[in-house]
Amino acid sequence: MKVLVTGGAGFIGSHVSDMLIANGHEVLIVDNLSSGKRSNIPKAADFMEMDVCSESLVDVVRQMQPGAIMHLAAQIDVRKSVEDPVFDAHVNVLGLVRLAQAAMVAGVEKIVFSSTGGAIYGEQDFFPADEHHPCRPVSFYGASKLCGEVYLDTFSRVFGLKWVALRYSNVYGPRQDPHGEAGVVAIFSGRLLHAQRPRIYGDGLQTRDYVFVTDVARANLMAVESDIQGVFNIGTGIETNVCELAALMSKIVGFNEKPEHLPAKAGEQMRSSIDAGKAHREMDWKPEVDLMTGLGKTLEYFRNHL
Protein backbone atom coordinates (compact mmCIF):
# COMPACT_ATOMS: atom_id res chain seq x y z
CA MET A 1 0.00 0.00 0.00
CA LYS A 2 1.08 3.56 -0.66
CA VAL A 3 1.08 5.44 2.67
CA LEU A 4 1.54 9.16 3.38
CA VAL A 5 3.16 9.80 6.77
CA THR A 6 2.95 13.34 8.14
CA GLY A 7 5.61 14.08 10.74
CA GLY A 8 7.63 11.15 9.45
CA ALA A 9 10.96 12.83 10.24
CA GLY A 10 10.04 13.03 13.90
CA PHE A 11 10.58 10.71 16.83
CA ILE A 12 7.51 8.47 16.53
CA GLY A 13 6.85 9.15 12.84
CA SER A 14 10.26 7.91 11.74
CA HIS A 15 9.76 4.62 13.59
CA VAL A 16 6.32 4.25 12.01
CA SER A 17 7.87 4.91 8.57
CA ASP A 18 10.60 2.32 9.21
CA MET A 19 8.02 -0.31 10.15
CA LEU A 20 5.80 0.44 7.17
CA ILE A 21 8.73 0.08 4.77
CA ALA A 22 9.92 -3.12 6.48
CA ASN A 23 6.45 -4.57 5.85
CA GLY A 24 6.42 -3.76 2.15
CA HIS A 25 4.56 -0.44 2.05
CA GLU A 26 5.54 2.52 -0.11
CA VAL A 27 6.06 5.62 2.06
CA LEU A 28 5.97 9.35 1.36
CA ILE A 29 6.92 11.57 4.30
CA VAL A 30 5.65 15.12 4.66
CA ASP A 31 7.37 17.10 7.41
CA ASN A 32 8.24 20.77 7.89
CA LEU A 33 11.36 19.81 9.93
CA SER A 34 10.42 22.19 12.74
CA SER A 35 11.27 19.41 15.17
CA GLY A 36 11.89 16.44 12.88
CA LYS A 37 15.33 15.63 11.51
CA ARG A 38 16.48 14.69 8.03
CA SER A 39 18.69 12.02 9.60
CA ASN A 40 15.55 10.23 10.84
CA ILE A 41 14.07 9.84 7.34
CA PRO A 42 14.41 6.27 5.99
CA LYS A 43 16.39 6.07 2.76
CA ALA A 44 13.61 4.08 1.11
CA ALA A 45 11.01 6.80 1.76
CA ASP A 46 10.21 9.72 -0.50
CA PHE A 47 10.31 13.06 1.32
CA MET A 48 8.66 16.43 0.84
CA GLU A 49 9.37 19.36 3.15
CA MET A 50 5.97 20.91 3.78
CA ASP A 51 3.75 22.12 6.61
CA VAL A 52 0.49 20.20 7.05
CA CYS A 53 -1.31 23.55 7.30
CA SER A 54 -0.17 24.49 3.79
CA GLU A 55 -2.87 24.91 1.16
CA SER A 56 -0.60 22.96 -1.22
CA LEU A 57 -1.14 19.81 0.85
CA VAL A 58 -4.33 19.04 -1.08
CA ASP A 59 -2.39 18.96 -4.35
CA VAL A 60 0.29 16.71 -2.85
CA VAL A 61 -2.24 14.20 -1.56
CA ARG A 62 -4.17 14.26 -4.85
CA GLN A 63 -0.96 13.70 -6.82
CA MET A 64 0.28 10.89 -4.61
CA GLN A 65 -3.07 9.05 -4.31
CA PRO A 66 -2.16 7.19 -1.10
CA GLY A 67 -4.28 4.33 0.15
CA ALA A 68 -3.88 5.56 3.72
CA ILE A 69 -2.53 8.49 5.72
CA MET A 70 -0.69 8.22 9.05
CA HIS A 71 -1.07 11.62 10.70
CA LEU A 72 1.71 12.21 13.25
CA ALA A 73 2.62 15.84 12.54
CA ALA A 74 1.62 17.92 15.57
CA GLN A 75 2.43 20.59 18.10
CA ILE A 76 3.26 18.26 21.01
CA ASP A 77 4.48 20.61 23.76
CA VAL A 78 1.84 20.64 26.50
CA ARG A 79 3.22 23.77 28.17
CA LYS A 80 3.47 25.62 24.86
CA SER A 81 -0.17 24.79 24.19
CA VAL A 82 -1.11 26.54 27.42
CA GLU A 83 1.08 29.55 26.60
CA ASP A 84 -0.15 29.82 22.99
CA PRO A 85 -3.45 27.96 22.45
CA VAL A 86 -3.99 29.69 19.09
CA PHE A 87 -0.80 28.22 17.62
CA ASP A 88 -1.62 24.82 19.14
CA ALA A 89 -5.07 24.85 17.51
CA HIS A 90 -3.63 26.10 14.22
CA VAL A 91 -1.33 23.10 13.92
CA ASN A 92 -3.33 20.36 15.64
CA VAL A 93 -6.85 21.28 14.53
CA LEU A 94 -6.47 23.20 11.27
CA GLY A 95 -3.70 20.84 10.11
CA LEU A 96 -5.89 17.81 10.78
CA VAL A 97 -8.94 19.32 9.06
CA ARG A 98 -6.91 20.31 6.00
CA LEU A 99 -5.46 16.80 5.81
CA ALA A 100 -8.86 15.14 6.15
CA GLN A 101 -10.26 17.39 3.44
CA ALA A 102 -7.33 16.49 1.19
CA ALA A 103 -7.99 12.82 1.92
CA MET A 104 -11.58 13.16 0.77
CA VAL A 105 -10.57 14.94 -2.45
CA ALA A 106 -7.97 12.26 -3.23
CA GLY A 107 -10.17 9.30 -2.30
CA VAL A 108 -7.97 8.11 0.58
CA GLU A 109 -9.48 5.09 2.30
CA LYS A 110 -8.27 5.62 5.87
CA ILE A 111 -6.55 8.02 8.26
CA VAL A 112 -4.65 6.77 11.33
CA PHE A 113 -4.39 9.67 13.76
CA SER A 114 -1.86 9.95 16.59
CA SER A 115 -3.85 11.16 19.59
CA THR A 116 -3.02 11.20 23.30
CA GLY A 117 -4.06 9.00 26.19
CA GLY A 118 -2.49 10.94 29.03
CA ALA A 119 -3.55 14.48 28.13
CA ILE A 120 -7.01 13.66 26.80
CA TYR A 121 -8.41 12.10 30.00
CA GLY A 122 -7.02 14.66 32.45
CA GLU A 123 -7.11 13.78 36.15
CA GLN A 124 -8.49 10.25 36.09
CA ASP A 125 -11.42 8.78 38.02
CA PHE A 126 -9.99 5.26 37.79
CA PHE A 127 -6.72 3.58 36.81
CA PRO A 128 -5.91 2.54 34.21
CA ALA A 129 -8.40 4.55 32.12
CA ASP A 130 -10.17 2.81 29.26
CA GLU A 131 -11.66 4.51 26.21
CA HIS A 132 -14.96 5.12 28.04
CA HIS A 133 -13.29 7.30 30.67
CA PRO A 134 -14.55 10.93 30.53
CA CYS A 135 -12.32 13.20 28.48
CA ARG A 136 -11.42 16.24 30.59
CA PRO A 137 -8.19 17.71 29.14
CA VAL A 138 -6.23 19.99 31.45
CA SER A 139 -4.17 21.42 28.57
CA PHE A 140 -5.02 22.86 25.17
CA TYR A 141 -2.85 20.14 23.65
CA GLY A 142 -5.24 17.53 25.03
CA ALA A 143 -8.21 19.61 23.90
CA SER A 144 -6.85 19.95 20.35
CA LYS A 145 -6.28 16.20 20.07
CA LEU A 146 -9.82 15.52 21.30
CA CYS A 147 -11.09 18.06 18.77
CA GLY A 148 -9.20 16.19 16.04
CA GLU A 149 -10.97 12.96 16.97
CA VAL A 150 -14.36 14.72 16.81
CA TYR A 151 -13.53 16.12 13.37
CA LEU A 152 -12.51 12.69 12.08
CA ASP A 153 -15.69 11.15 13.44
CA THR A 154 -17.70 13.88 11.68
CA PHE A 155 -15.82 13.36 8.40
CA SER A 156 -16.67 9.67 8.75
CA ARG A 157 -20.37 10.28 9.26
CA VAL A 158 -20.65 12.95 6.56
CA PHE A 159 -18.29 11.56 3.90
CA GLY A 160 -17.62 7.95 4.91
CA LEU A 161 -13.91 8.44 5.69
CA LYS A 162 -12.49 5.53 7.69
CA TRP A 163 -10.37 6.53 10.68
CA VAL A 164 -8.54 5.26 13.73
CA ALA A 165 -7.27 7.39 16.62
CA LEU A 166 -4.48 5.85 18.68
CA ARG A 167 -4.35 7.40 22.14
CA TYR A 168 -0.74 6.96 23.23
CA SER A 169 0.45 7.01 26.79
CA ASN A 170 3.97 8.44 27.40
CA VAL A 171 6.06 7.27 24.45
CA TYR A 172 9.83 6.94 24.89
CA GLY A 173 12.75 5.43 23.02
CA PRO A 174 15.56 6.10 20.52
CA ARG A 175 15.44 9.37 18.50
CA GLN A 176 13.45 11.29 21.09
CA ASP A 177 14.87 14.79 21.52
CA PRO A 178 16.62 15.15 24.91
CA HIS A 179 16.46 18.95 24.80
CA GLY A 180 13.76 21.48 25.59
CA GLU A 181 10.31 20.20 26.53
CA ALA A 182 11.04 16.61 25.55
CA GLY A 183 9.88 13.46 27.31
CA VAL A 184 11.37 12.83 30.73
CA VAL A 185 13.17 9.64 29.62
CA ALA A 186 15.07 11.53 26.92
CA ILE A 187 15.87 14.39 29.29
CA PHE A 188 17.12 12.03 32.00
CA SER A 189 19.18 10.15 29.38
CA GLY A 190 20.93 13.34 28.30
CA ARG A 191 21.77 14.34 31.85
CA LEU A 192 22.85 10.91 33.13
CA LEU A 193 25.14 10.27 30.17
CA HIS A 194 26.82 13.60 30.90
CA ALA A 195 27.22 12.54 34.55
CA GLN A 196 24.64 15.12 35.66
CA ARG A 197 21.97 14.52 38.28
CA PRO A 198 18.41 14.04 36.97
CA ARG A 199 16.18 17.01 37.79
CA ILE A 200 12.84 16.15 39.36
CA TYR A 201 10.13 18.78 39.71
CA GLY A 202 8.21 18.42 42.97
CA ASP A 203 8.30 15.24 45.04
CA GLY A 204 8.62 12.97 42.00
CA LEU A 205 5.59 10.88 42.94
CA GLN A 206 3.67 11.87 39.80
CA THR A 207 3.13 8.74 37.68
CA ARG A 208 3.08 8.04 33.97
CA ASP A 209 2.47 5.01 31.74
CA TYR A 210 5.64 4.54 29.65
CA VAL A 211 5.28 2.71 26.31
CA PHE A 212 8.23 1.95 24.02
CA VAL A 213 8.27 3.57 20.59
CA THR A 214 8.52 0.34 18.55
CA ASP A 215 5.40 -0.97 20.28
CA VAL A 216 3.66 2.26 19.24
CA ALA A 217 4.90 1.89 15.65
CA ARG A 218 3.58 -1.66 15.56
CA ALA A 219 0.16 -0.43 16.72
CA ASN A 220 0.16 2.02 13.79
CA LEU A 221 1.03 -0.76 11.35
CA MET A 222 -1.76 -2.97 12.70
CA ALA A 223 -4.24 -0.10 12.54
CA VAL A 224 -3.53 0.69 8.89
CA GLU A 225 -3.52 -2.95 7.77
CA SER A 226 -6.77 -3.91 9.53
CA ASP A 227 -10.43 -2.97 9.16
CA ILE A 228 -10.76 -1.52 12.67
CA GLN A 229 -12.13 1.95 13.22
CA GLY A 230 -12.54 4.27 16.20
CA VAL A 231 -10.49 5.10 19.29
CA PHE A 232 -7.86 2.81 20.84
CA ASN A 233 -5.61 3.30 23.85
CA ILE A 234 -1.96 2.34 23.28
CA GLY A 235 -0.13 1.93 26.60
CA THR A 236 0.94 -0.56 29.23
CA GLY A 237 -1.50 0.18 32.06
CA ILE A 238 1.48 0.32 34.44
CA GLU A 239 2.21 3.42 36.52
CA THR A 240 5.82 4.41 37.23
CA ASN A 241 6.61 7.50 39.24
CA VAL A 242 9.42 9.90 38.36
CA CYS A 243 11.60 8.92 41.31
CA GLU A 244 11.35 5.25 40.32
CA LEU A 245 12.19 6.14 36.72
CA ALA A 246 15.28 8.12 37.76
CA ALA A 247 16.43 5.25 39.98
CA LEU A 248 16.04 2.66 37.20
CA MET A 249 17.93 4.76 34.69
CA SER A 250 20.68 5.64 37.18
CA LYS A 251 21.11 1.95 37.91
CA ILE A 252 21.49 1.10 34.21
CA VAL A 253 24.25 3.68 33.66
CA GLY A 254 25.91 3.15 37.07
CA PHE A 255 25.23 6.69 38.31
CA ASN A 256 25.14 6.87 42.11
CA GLU A 257 24.23 10.48 42.93
CA LYS A 258 20.73 11.36 44.10
CA PRO A 259 18.42 13.39 41.81
CA GLU A 260 18.09 17.14 42.18
CA HIS A 261 14.62 18.22 43.32
CA LEU A 262 13.21 21.51 42.03
CA PRO A 263 9.88 23.26 42.75
CA ALA A 264 6.83 21.55 41.27
CA LYS A 265 5.44 22.91 38.01
CA ALA A 266 1.91 24.26 38.21
CA GLY A 267 -0.86 22.28 36.57
CA GLU A 268 1.04 19.02 36.19
CA GLN A 269 -1.12 15.92 36.14
CA MET A 270 -0.39 13.69 39.15
CA ARG A 271 -1.30 10.23 37.87
CA SER A 272 -1.80 8.72 34.43
CA SER A 273 -2.16 5.21 33.04
CA ILE A 274 -4.34 3.80 30.29
CA ASP A 275 -5.97 0.43 29.59
CA ALA A 276 -5.14 -1.00 26.15
CA GLY A 277 -7.46 -3.97 26.47
CA LYS A 278 -9.57 -2.88 23.49
CA ALA A 279 -6.48 -2.81 21.23
CA HIS A 280 -5.62 -6.32 22.39
CA ARG A 281 -9.14 -7.62 21.75
CA GLU A 282 -9.75 -5.98 18.37
CA MET A 283 -6.33 -5.96 16.72
CA ASP A 284 -4.29 -8.34 18.89
CA TRP A 285 -1.91 -5.58 19.99
CA LYS A 286 -0.14 -5.57 23.33
CA PRO A 287 3.14 -4.03 24.49
CA GLU A 288 6.13 -6.32 24.05
CA VAL A 289 9.00 -4.22 25.46
CA ASP A 290 9.11 -3.95 29.25
CA LEU A 291 10.31 -0.75 30.88
CA MET A 292 13.75 -1.96 31.96
CA THR A 293 14.52 -3.34 28.48
CA GLY A 294 13.22 -0.22 26.78
CA LEU A 295 15.23 2.09 29.03
CA GLY A 296 18.35 0.06 28.28
CA LYS A 297 17.77 0.37 24.52
CA THR A 298 17.10 4.10 24.86
CA LEU A 299 20.21 4.80 26.92
CA GLU A 300 22.33 2.76 24.50
CA TYR A 301 21.02 4.85 21.61
CA PHE A 302 21.81 8.13 23.36
CA ARG A 303 25.21 6.84 24.40
CA ASN A 304 26.03 6.40 20.71
CA HIS A 305 24.38 9.60 19.43
CA LEU A 306 24.74 12.35 21.99
Side-chain angles (χ1 to χ4, degrees), residues 10-227:
F11 163 45
I12 302 174
S14 62
H15 284 277
V16 171
S17 298
D18 283 341
M19 196 161 288
L20 287 167
I21 291 167
N23 284 271
H25 298 284
E26 181 182 347
V27 172
L28 169 68
I29 290 173
V30 169
D31 198 303
N32 68 359
L33 300 180
S34 60
S35 57
K37 300 175 181 177
R38 288 185 182 273
S39 59
N40 287 342
I41 298 171
K43 292 182 179 179
D46 291 324
F47 171 64
M48 180 170 291
E49 186 174 347
M50 175 179 285
D51 195 298
V52 291
C53 296
S54 169
E55 293 183 3
S56 301
L57 184 66
V58 176
D59 294 330
V60 170
V61 178
R62 185 190 290 115
Q63 181 179 0
M64 186 196 181
Q65 292 286 306
I69 296 174
M70 318 290 281
H71 183 42
L72 295 105
Q75 190 298 115
I76 63 171
D77 190 331
V78 171
R79 294 189 181 93
K80 185 169 185 176
S81 79
V82 175
E83 294 168 1
D84 192 351
V86 172
F87 176 73
D88 183 80
H90 176 76
V91 177
N92 292 351
V93 180
L94 178 60
L96 181 280
V97 174
R98 192 176 296 283
L99 187 68
Q101 189 176 38
M104 295 310 307
V105 170
V108 175
E109 296 177 9
K110 191 174 195 177
I111 291 180
V112 179
F113 174 52
S114 289
S115 189
T116 172
I120 215 166
Y121 297 122
E123 294 296 348
Q124 294 174 212
D125 296 334
F126 54 87
F127 300 85
D130 63 18
E131 292 83 356
H132 297 292
H133 190 286
C135 293
R136 299 185 295 252
V138 293
S139 69
F140 296 110
Y141 168 73
S144 66
K145 287 294 188 178
L146 179 59
C147 187
E149 292 181 7
V150 173
Y151 262 102
L152 285 172
D153 185 53
T154 306
F155 267 95
S156 177
R157 285 184 283 106
V158 175
F159 298 115
L161 178 66
K162 295 179 181 179
W163 67 284
V164 173
L166 301 179
R167 292 178 174 173
Y168 308 148
S169 59
N170 281 59
V171 188
Y172 73 100
R175 301 180 195 159
Q176 192 169 27
D177 190 347
H179 306 291
E181 297 294 336
V184 65
V185 173
I187 294 172
F188 281 2
S189 295
R191 292 192 64 81
L192 286 168
L193 292 172
H194 285 104
Q196 298 171 334
R197 293 193 295 164
R199 288 174 174 166
I200 295 176
Y201 294 91
D203 58 17
L205 299 182
Q206 55 270 46
T207 67
R208 295 294 182 267
D209 176 344
Y210 296 99
V211 62
F212 195 62
V213 67
T214 57
D215 282 334
V216 171
R218 185 165 44 84
N220 277 269
L221 178 69
M222 290 177 163
V224 80
E225 290 185 339
S226 72
D227 293 328

Side-chain angles (χ1 to χ4, degrees), residues 217-274:
R218 185 165 44 84
N220 277 269
L221 178 69
M222 290 177 163
V224 80
E225 290 185 339
S226 72
D227 293 328
I228 62 165
Q229 293 193 68
V231 174
F232 294 84
N233 284 342
I234 301 298
T236 70
I238 300 170
E239 291 181 74
T240 303
N241 71 45
V242 180
C243 289
E244 291 170 335
L245 182 71
L248 287 172
M249 296 181 70
S250 295
K251 181 179 179 180
I252 292 171
V253 301
F255 186 81
N256 297 318
E257 295 184 37
K258 292 183 178 181
E260 176 185 0
H261 281 264
L262 300 173
K265 293 187 176 181
E268 184 171 14
Q269 198 170 324
M270 279 308 299
R271 293 179 65 190
S272 178
S273 65
I274 59 176

